[in-house]
Amino acid sequence: MAAEKKDNWSTEAYQHSASFVPKLATKIVQWLDPQEDDHILDVGCGGVEDGVLSLDIARTASEGVLHGIDSSPAMIEAAKRAAAEKNLQRNSTFEVLDATDLINRPHFQLFNKAFSNAALHWILRPEPTRESFFRGVKSALTPGGTFAFEMGGLGNCSELRCALLMAVGRRVGLARAQEADPWFFPDEEWVTDMMERKVGGWEIEKVEREWRPTTADAGGVDGWIRLMAKQFFEVLPEEEREECIKEVVDVLEVVCAKPGGGYMFSYVRLRVLAKKVE
């Protein structure tokens, strides 16, 4: 029997340290352009504060369907509770599913649109499953269906990533720290080549990369590092983790400090709107 996949997410921690993620998704939702009769597949739905963004889309697609998938059981349970509280169970469903397994779901219902916000830089981290992921999304769409997604782009949070790689790498070596890095931040050229040429059957209709400086949430630098970068520290002996976290946070509280108070993270977002053409 395969080992159970570890759930690295806490809904409470997400709300405390990353609640800005769904609030800053306005533009990619505009690209999705949800209509009342749409059937929408939401990939990585739990990563946007308990599915709140998914439910906003489901409310618009009132005569259609929104089906959210996420590999985190905690996030999916939170999304289901939120749907019940908002009385949106009729047209919104949620399922624990690793998005890289979509290609293995030939019985999966078909959707005319797919959507993802702030999830693909995690999902695409393992290089061997990148092509199969995009093939899987394509297989879940009807002919002419569209996929609108936003993810971390090349240069995303570079100051945070640098501090993490240096602190963890000093203890276990840079190569091991790189292996622990849970993110993949591509650019426009990479995503176009992957979707249109390597996978095929996609046409990129719009693509852009935007620097979006983002003020830290209530959890500050410490909360963000403990939530988003947790996997970096798991390669260290348990007794060394707090010391390493403190080292990272101390540096970043200098680098990211805003003159008027608070902290700024250098988010870079890659947005894509692609159509299934075959």
Side-chain angles (χ1 to χ4, degrees):
M1 180 181 295
E4 184 177 347
K5 188 173 182 178
K6 183 177 180 180
D7 190 346
N8 288 299
W9 295 104
S10 157
T11 57
E12 294 80 9
Y14 203 99
Q15 290 173 359
H16 186 59
S17 299
S19 67
F20 52 78
V21 172
K23 297 170 186 173
L24 296 174
T26 304
K27 192 166 188 180
I28 195 60
V29 173
Q30 290 174 345
W31 285 18
L32 177 69
D33 190 25
Q35 302 297 311
E36 66 175 13
D37 59 347
D38 279 339
H39 285 227
I40 301 170
L41 173 66
D42 190 349
V43 179
C45 62
V48 285
E49 198 184 0
D50 307 350
V52 65
L53 180 57
S54 303
L55 295 176
D56 286 345
I57 295 171
R59 191 177 289 108
T60 301
S62 56
E63 300 303 315
V65 170
L66 181 135
H67 184 67
I69 63 171
D70 199 285
S71 63
S72 167
M75 289 294 194
I76 288 295
E77 285 306 309
K80 287 179 177 178
R81 288 195 301 270
E85 290 168 5
K86 297 176 186 296
N87 198 29
L88 289 169
Q89 313 98 306
R90 182 187 63 80
N91 73 321
S92 61
T93 56
F94 298 92
E95 175 186 11
V96 177
L97 179 67
D98 188 321
T100 60
D101 287 338
L102 276 170
I103 193 66
N104 300 317
R105 296 285 296 274
H107 61 287
F108 212 72
Q109 64 173 302
L110 293 181
F111 303 85
N112 68 305
K113 292 179 180 177
F115 174 75
S116 184
N117 181 59
L120 293 197
H121 46 266
W122 306 91
I123 293 168
L124 296 176
R125 175 61 178 90
E127 186 173 358
T129 57
R130 290 172 189 167
E131 285 190 41
S132 62
F133 166 76
F134 285 109
R135 294 185 194 281
V137 175
K138 189 174 69 169
S139 72
L141 286 172
T142 56
T146 57
F147 184 20
F149 63 89
E150 180 173 313
M151 63 183 293
L154 184 64
N156 187 58
C157 295
S158 55
E159 73 283 20
L160 291 96
R161 199 177 184 192
C162 182
L164 286 158
L165 285 168
M166 290 187 71
V168 176
R170 189 166 61 81
R171 290 165 170 84
V172 297
L174 181 58
R176 185 70 186 94
Q178 286 178 284
E179 290 174 7
D181 185 340
W183 307 310
F184 174 63
F185 300 134
D187 60 8
E188 303 92 318
E189 291 180 7
W190 182 90
V191 77
T192 300
D193 182 65
M194 171 60 71
M195 296 184 76
E196 292 190 344
R197 287 178 277 281
K198 290 186 179 176
V199 173
W202 290 105
E203 178 185 338
I204 303 292
E205 297 192 321
K206 288 194 282 188
V207 59
E208 67 180 19
R209 188 161 38 113
E210 175 191 2
W211 179 55
R212 191 183 67 199
T214 302
T215 300
D217 215 331
V221 173
D222 185 84
W224 193 99
I225 288 295
R226 290 179 185 275
L227 173 68
M228 298 294 192
K230 182 179 179 182
Q231 289 162 263
F232 272 101
F233 305 106
E234 290 176 349
V235 302
L236 301 176
E238 193 166 350
E239 64 272 15
E240 294 182 20
R241 293 177 187 175
E242 282 302 316
E243 178 188 38
C244 188
I245 290 171
K246 184 178 185 304
E247 179 180 325
V248 171
V249 171
D250 285 350
V251 169
L252 290 173
E253 285 186 345
V254 174
V255 173
C256 301
K258 297 173 66 175
Y263 304 98
M264 185 275 288
F265 302 146
S266 295
Y267 269 62
V268 176
R269 313 318 282 170
L270 177 67
R271 296 189 193 94
V272 178
L273 179 65
K275 182 198 296 188
K276 175 180 176 177
V277 293
E278 62 179 51

